[in-house]
Amino acid sequence: MGMIALGAGIAVLTGAGAGIGIGIATSKAAEAIARQPEAKGDINKALLLGCALAEATAIYGFVIAMLIILFLK
C-alpha cells in the first residue's frame, strides 16, 4: 500500500507545476499589458488558453492519482 500512495503522491505533484506555470504566465501577461495596453484583448486570449492547458495537466495528474489508488489496491 505504501508504494501505491507514493505513486499517487508523485502523480498529484503535477498540480504544483501547473500552479507555478500559471503564476509565471499571469505575471508575464500583466507585464505585457503594462507595456502595450492596446493589445490587452490578444494577450488575455493567449493567457486564458495557456492557463486552461496548464490546469488540464493538473487535472490529468489528479485523475491518474485517483486511478492508481482505486485500481491498484
Side-chain angles (χ1 to χ4, degrees), residues 6-60:
L6 180 64
I10 291 171
V12 171
L13 286 178
T14 58
I20 292 169
I22 291 171
I24 292 171
T26 302
S27 71
K28 296 296 182 181
E31 289 176 14
I33 291 171
R35 288 186 189 142
Q36 291 186 316
E38 67 277 359
K40 180 180 179 180
D42 293 335
I43 295 167
N44 279 337
K45 287 178 195 174
L47 172 66
L48 289 176
L49 179 61
C51 288
L53 292 173
E55 193 63 33
T57 303
I59 291 170
Y60 293 149

